[in-house]
Every structure is written in structure tokens, then in C-alpha cells.
Amino acid sequence: MEFRIERAAFAEAVGWAGRALPSRTPVPVLGGLLLAVTSGRLTVSGFDFEAAARIEVDAETGAPGEVLVPGRRLLDICRVLPDGPVSCSLDGARFTVEAGGTEFGLSTLPREEYPAPPAQPGPYGSVDAAAFATAVGQVAVAAGRDETLPVLTGVQLRLDGESMTLSASDRYRYAVRRVGWKPEGSVGAAEGMGVGGAVEALVPARRLLDAARSLARCAVVRVGLEPAAGGGLVGFEGGGMRSVVRLLDGRLPAYGSLFDMAGAAVAEVESGAFTEAVRRVAVVAEASSPVRLDFSAGGSVLLRAGYGDDVAAQRLPAVLSGAEEVGVAFNPAYLLDALNSFEAGRLRLELIGAGQRVLLSGVEAEEGAGGVGGSHRHLLMSVKQLV
């Protein structure tokens, strides 16, 4: 087995497949990357039972073959390779990487012990790659990090007609984003995945964010689904890159009633200035200390944080309707996550009152982000303690 490839293309392929490498595993071969050479093509694959990544790139190939090499070591080598062509070959149990006069030798792992990764699920539809990456980034900030509550660590995809709705929640916030979607296949609502004629899948947020960001430069991402009781698989494909992720079991709580803000006061602020002001005053806030927002019908919002002599405050223009004044307070990290997820020039905040939920949305339709009206909403629970 031997091949020759440009350093940039080789590093990119290894980096993509390396995303599926486990941080630690009791199965040594899962720490390997599988390199396969056929006529004019190099395929690099990684697999850790929860996710699989595979990429095909052009290469000058000699003898075909396959080799399983330590993935982390190969990633490290790719980072220090000089620019230019890279020559790789397998001689017995030794894999050699040479570039610019520098040569690396790698021991190999037993190919016969490497488990077969899952096949790419059948196609269900496609979505604009840039819009998909943006949408995933906007909702993934609200996903939980507590692995003891796995359902809350996922992003729920709901595929209904020509729209894809993504949602995530960690119980303290709930983000929802809708984008345009082009159905291509006919995955049925079997095995409990369908709700009201739609298809739903709960994808681990970290895996989904990683795949979406990596595929963002492709024109289109094709999404495949393989429903199964207790989970199933979702696949993403674009630009010669393929990723398969095992679904989480379960679904997120419905958000319809939470997002019903009938009777709420409404405030509008300029997005950039408001976000910067929150970031500025939050400097004095402790980890458990909130940022307080006091909106008044006089046309301003006062932002405050801190206690005693360690305080910060800033007043900004704001338009409030439906009440004379409203005061709310938020965890500053959660508030900044929500604000940074919006692309609209102005933000709309629907406010019920202190200690109640607040719904954020963009005033401008984010048509440039792709999607059905560019719908993006982020619900935050305010804290009862006000500074």
C-alpha cells in the first residue's frame, strides 16, 4: 500500500476522521484511523461506536490496500508536516510518512480486530450547509452538559414538510431555530420517531455541532435517518465527507406552552450595543451573581451587576410597551450565550416579570440565514434574586 498527497489535503482528511476518535477507550483498536487506498482515492475513517466519520480525497496511488494506524499519533504528525507533497507507504507492520526530508514511522494496529462501522443511513433530505451550521450553533448553546440526563444533552431535529426545526434545552433555557429543508426520501414515522406526521430525531449536541461546523463550507448537507426502537442513526454527508451518529433515546419536552407569552410586556433593544453592555457589566458579577435589567417606559434599560462596592451599571436606549416598568435578572453566562446566538440587528424581549421566563427573538427576519422566515427564539428563565 502506498500513496502520495498534498500535506493540506492529508491533514484535513485525517482531522475530519479524527473527530470520531474516542478520548479514551478500553478497546485499543478504536483509537486507530483506517486508511484505505484504491485507484486515485484515499479514504480515512474513524469510529468509536457512538459516531463514525469517513472522508474520501484524491491522491496519487500506487499499490492498493488498508492499514489501521494510531489516530492521535497520526494527527500529531499531520500538524508538524512541512507544506508540500506527503508520501506514505506500508512495509510489513510499519507505516511510513515522509515529507520535505522528514520521515516518521508508525506501528500499525490489527486491522482484523477493527469493528465495522455502521452504514450511511438512507437519505431523507438536504439542507443548505451554511444555514444548517448557523442553526445548530444557535440552538446547541442551550443543550445540557450533564451526562446523567442524556436527553437534555441533545439537539432535537424535527423534519416536517419543507422545514427543519432544531431545539435544545437544559431546563433553564430553551432554544428553537427553523430552517428550510428539501425532503428527498421517505423515512416513515416508524419506531416512535414520527409525531403528528413529522419525523423527530434526538442527536447528541456535541456531535451535531462538530459535524455541522465541518460541513459548513459544502453547498448542501444531505441528511439520512435510520429509525430504530431505543435510538437509531442519523447521517450527514457533503463534499466527500460522511458522518454517522447514534441517536439518543427519548425526546425533549414540548415547548409550545412555554413559548406562549400572552400578556407579556415587550422590549426592543439594539442587539450589538445591548450584548456589549451585558458583557461589560458582567465583569464584576460572581459565578452565581446575576445581571439585572430594569426596563422603563421612559425609553431606557438600566443594566446592573455586582454587590456592595464592586458594582457596574450602564443605561441604554430601549423601547418598552405593555408595562410602565419591568425588572428581570439572569445568569450572565446564559444571557450572553443567548444574545450571541442572534444575528438580527435588533432584539425583542417578551417579559412577564421578575423570576419568570423571558422569550428573545430577532426583530428583523433573518432571511440571509436561510430558512422559513429565519425563525430563531431563545427562552431564558430569569432568577428571582435581583441586585
Side-chain angles (χ1 to χ4, degrees):
M1 170 190 172
E2 58 182 348
F3 61 91
R4 182 180 174 89
I5 187 173
E6 285 297 315
R7 181 259 175 196
F10 187 48
E12 181 180 19
V14 171
W16 165 260
R19 298 172 188 274
L21 289 174
S23 55
R24 58 179 62 90
T25 176
V27 185
V29 291
L30 290 182
L33 288 177
L34 181 63
L35 279 61
V37 171
T38 56
S39 179
R41 303 290 285 175
L42 167 67
T43 301
V44 187
S45 307
F47 178 47
D48 72 349
F49 287 124
E50 297 301 321
R54 180 175 181 268
I55 181 171
E56 292 185 8
V57 293
D58 293 329
E60 299 177 23
T61 58
E66 292 184 342
V67 62
L68 186 66
V69 299
R72 301 291 177 192
R73 181 61 56 84
L74 185 58
L75 282 166
D76 290 341
I77 289 173
C78 287
R79 293 188 183 102
V80 299
L81 285 173
D83 290 334
V86 179
S87 298
C88 300
S89 61
L90 178 64
D91 184 10
R94 186 173 187 269
F95 183 70
T96 301
V97 180
E98 188 276 330
T102 304
E103 182 176 305
F104 298 89
L106 281 174
S107 58
T108 59
L109 299 170
R111 169 66 181 92
E112 64 277 5
E113 296 180 13
Y114 194 66
Q120 197 77 11
Y124 189 74
S126 60
V127 61
D128 179 85
F132 183 58
T134 298
V136 173
Q138 287 174 318
V139 302
V141 296
R145 275 63 167 176
D146 186 356
E147 297 296 336
T148 64
L149 298 170
V151 169
L152 298 182
T153 65
V155 170
Q156 189 161 289
L157 304 183
R158 179 181 174 88
L159 310 176
D160 189 5
E162 295 187 350
S163 71
M164 170 192 285
T165 303
L166 302 92
S167 55
S169 175
D170 63 359
R171 294 181 297 179
Y172 306 105
R173 45 192 174 167
Y174 209 132
V176 177
R177 178 72 159 88
R178 191 174 67 249
V179 296
W181 157 263
K182 182 181 178 181
E184 293 180 3
S186 57
V187 175
E191 306 296 345
M193 290 187 66
V195 177
V199 172
E200 292 186 349
L202 189 61
V203 189
R206 180 177 62 86
R207 302 282 194 183
L208 180 61
L209 187 61
D210 194 30
R213 285 174 174 171
S214 301
L215 293 167
R217 70 176 187 273
C218 303
V220 172
V221 174
R222 299 188 69 192
V223 181
L225 285 173
E226 184 179 299
L233 299 171
V234 60
F236 305 98
E237 180 179 357
M241 296 175 282
R242 296 181 176 184
S243 179
V244 180
V245 179
R246 194 170 301 280
L247 298 174
L248 296 170
D249 188 16
R251 64 188 304 267
L252 293 179
Y255 57 83
S257 60
L258 288 174
F259 280 44
D260 182 3
M261 304 293 285
V266 177
E268 289 188 13
V269 295
E270 195 279 315
S271 179
F274 186 66
T275 302
E276 186 56 36
V278 172
R279 184 178 293 109
R280 189 176 295 122
V281 301
V283 168
V284 301
E286 300 293 336
S288 59
S289 174
V291 169
R292 175 170 175 164
L293 313 175
D294 290 306
F295 293 90
S296 67
S300 69
V301 56
L302 177 63
L303 297 87
R304 290 184 286 165
Y307 296 103
D309 294 330
D310 299 321
V311 295
Q314 183 174 350
R315 189 178 294 275
L316 291 175
V319 178
L320 179 67
S321 60
E324 288 298 314
E325 59 182 31
V326 180
V328 289
F330 298 102
N331 175 304
Y334 287 2
L335 179 56
L336 283 171
D337 280 346
L339 296 176
N340 287 327
S341 70
F342 283 91
E343 297 181 329
R346 289 184 64 79
L347 291 178
R348 170 188 174 97
L349 293 86
E350 297 178 58
L351 309 151
I352 296 178
Q356 302 296 319
R357 64 191 187 277
V358 175
L359 184 63
L360 288 78
S361 57
V363 174
E364 301 171 0
E366 297 169 284
E367 299 293 347
V372 185
S375 177
H376 172 212
R377 294 175 293 170
H378 194 115
L379 190 83
L380 277 176
M381 290 302 300
S382 62
V383 299
K384 295 182 179 180
Q385 178 185 7
L386 300 180
V387 296

